Each structure stands twice: as structure tokens, then as C-alpha cells.
Amino acid sequence: MKGVILAGGSGTRLRPMTKIINKHLLPVGPFPMIHYAVSKMAAAGIKDIMLVTGKQSAGLFMEYIGSGSGWGVRLTYKIQEEAGGIAQALELADGFIQPQDKFVVLLGDNLFEDGLESAVRMFAEAEQGNAMVFLKKVADPRRYGVPEMRGDRIAAIEEKPAYPKSDYCVTGIYMYDSNVFDKIQEIQASERGELEITDVNNRYAAQGMLTYRLLEGWWTDAGTHRSLLEASIRLSASDVL
């Protein structure tokens, strides 16, 4: 298994801080936010990782993470020239991910308690063509992409629905094989001009090939000032490295 960390974007919800630095380099507890994504992958035994980020702070990522040797991993860097959506950023990993590879994708602003080890082992043994997303039960699913679950599969994901079909949201933790790049080629840009990862996941869902795993511990998308503070408090009180 390989890993891809997506750490681009403009961080508009965290302005004015993100006017001068990429949000994934903001401090969360004792470390920059990006530290935790690399640590989660390293703890799961993932050794080859690509970090996709924008031009603004690329040098700072390299200065902090370097080759990845401090985590026992090998880091490859890829520059996303302009924000075009999560799926567009993921497409940049085509080539780093070989046809036989399976891999984990983390959005760098997703901070969470659970380890990935058992899920990585399970997905490594799954049949080719499957994809997996991680779900978390939330108080207000209307703010997120909400899955409609049927047994151990997801039938469809609806973005910010007025009437959610479940109390779960799709987090920024995904697992794919190289077939995902074909799915990205099949989708069109959304109304906001971006290639949406939900459209990619719904391609798998329509084929009955989208599975899921539930997060048991805490999770946050640290993309707002409030969630960034909450994550800092949690991680300051933990021994997560």
C-alpha cells in the first residue's frame, strides 16, 4: 500500500491566517497539522507517500518533512498549480501509483483518533476494483456528504442533503486502487468548477463497489477556527505523534 496526502487548497475558512501560509502548516497542538497525516500513514506501515500541495508553501513543507526519514517513510512531492477540487489533486498521483498498487488518501486537514492499520490490511486483501471510505456519525449530517448504506456497501453519497438518509458523514479518508484514475477521467467539473471526489465515489457506488468503515474515536475536519481549536485541545492532551 502507498499513501497520498492532499494538502493544497486555499483555506478560505481559516483566513486571515491562510493568507500567508498553507493551512496544513498551522499549529495543531504541538505540531503543524501536516505532521499527523504523515504519522498516521507511517504507523499503518505505509512507506511510500506522495504529498500534493500548492506553490505557496511548498518549500516550508519540504523544510519540515524533508525526505520523510524522520517518520521512516519516503516522501515524494507534487505541486498542484491551481485549486481544482480533491479529485483533480488526486489525479496528480497517477504515475506514482502504479497499475498494481492500492493506496490510502488522506485530506491533510482531517484529524482523527483511530489508527489505520487494520483497515489497510483489510483493503490490501480486497479484490481489485473496490474503494473504501471512512464514515463518522455526526450531529448534523446536513453539513457533509451523507452516505446511503445498504449492508456493507454504500448505494450513493449525497452532498449536504436537506433530508439526510443516515446520521453519518463521509470523512476525508479514502482507499482506492489504480482504477480510480479511470473514474476521475469519467467525471465532469461541478458548478463550482472543480472535480469532486463525491462524483468519483458515486461511480464506485453505482457499481456496488464502494465499501465503508466506521471511525470509532473522535474526528474533525480542522478547516474552521473553531474546529482547529478543538483539534488543538484534543491533540495537546494526547500522546499522538
Side-chain angles (χ1 to χ4, degrees), residues 20 79 141 190 195 226:
I20 57 172
I79 300 300
S190 65
L195 295 179
R226 182 181 182 87

Side-chain angles (χ1 to χ4, degrees), residues 146-151 153-158 165-166 168 205 212:
V146 177
E148 179 184 355
M149 294 174 281
R150 295 179 184 170
R153 306 280 164 158
I154 292 176
I157 299 168
E158 187 177 4
K165 292 184 170 64
S166 73
Y168 290 88
Y212 63 89

Side-chain angles (χ1 to χ4, degrees), residues 40-56:
K40 286 291 185 182
M41 288 198 173
I46 296 169
K47 301 298 184 183
D48 289 299
I49 302 171
M50 172 174 278
L51 175 67
V52 180
T53 189
K55 294 181 289 185
Q56 177 192 21

Side-chain angles (χ1 to χ4, degrees), residues 111-224:
L111 301 170
F112 53 96
E113 183 177 7
D114 293 29
L116 298 173
E117 297 89 332
S118 62
V120 165
R121 288 195 300 269
M122 180 185 300
F123 193 75
E125 297 170 358
E127 61 182 290
Q128 290 285 92
N130 275 347
M132 178 186 288
V133 297
F134 285 66
L135 309 178
K136 179 62 181 174
K137 193 169 186 177
V138 291
D140 187 5
R142 291 174 296 180
R143 296 172 50 204
Y144 305 97
V146 177
E148 179 184 355
M149 294 174 281
R150 295 179 184 170
D152 64 348
R153 306 280 164 158
I154 292 176
I157 299 168
E158 187 177 4
E159 281 295 324
K160 299 180 179 177
Y163 303 100
K165 292 184 170 64
S166 73
D167 294 327
Y168 290 88
C169 75
V170 178
T171 71
I173 312 168
Y174 317 98
M175 294 190 183
Y176 300 108
D177 62 17
S178 61
N179 291 306
V180 71
F181 301 112
D182 293 331
K183 299 286 192 298
I184 294 173
Q185 291 295 320
E186 295 170 359
I187 66 172
Q188 302 293 321
S190 65
E191 291 182 357
R192 61 179 182 169
E194 297 187 353
L195 295 179
E196 308 289 353
I197 198 66
T198 294
D199 292 339
V200 174
N201 290 332
N202 274 331
R203 291 274 177 172
Y204 283 102
Q207 297 173 343
M209 303 298 283
L210 185 60
T211 62
Y212 63 89
R213 190 179 182 95
L214 303 180
L215 291 177
E216 302 296 336
W218 63 263
W219 164 84
T220 186
D221 168 1
T224 67

Side-chain angles (χ1 to χ4, degrees), residues 31-116:
F31 300 109
M33 189 186 300
I34 193 63
H35 185 105
Y36 301 99
V38 180
S39 294
K40 286 291 185 182
M41 288 198 173
I46 296 169
K47 301 298 184 183
D48 289 299
I49 302 171
M50 172 174 278
L51 175 67
V52 180
T53 189
K55 294 181 289 185
Q56 177 192 21
S57 302
L60 294 176
F61 280 103
M62 293 179 186
E63 185 174 343
Y64 183 73
I65 305 172
S67 67
S69 61
W71 286 264
V73 302
R74 294 176 291 273
L75 250 293
T76 300
Y77 296 88
K78 192 78 171 185
I79 300 300
Q80 185 181 18
E81 293 290 341
E82 56 186 7
I86 294 172
Q88 191 267 348
L90 178 56
E91 190 175 23
L92 296 176
D94 193 4
F96 171 73
I97 302 299
Q98 297 298 311
Q100 73 277 8
D101 289 336
K102 294 182 178 181
F103 65 108
V104 180
V105 180
L106 295 183
L107 304 190
D109 61 358
N110 272 235
L111 301 170
F112 53 96
E113 183 177 7
D114 293 29
L116 298 173

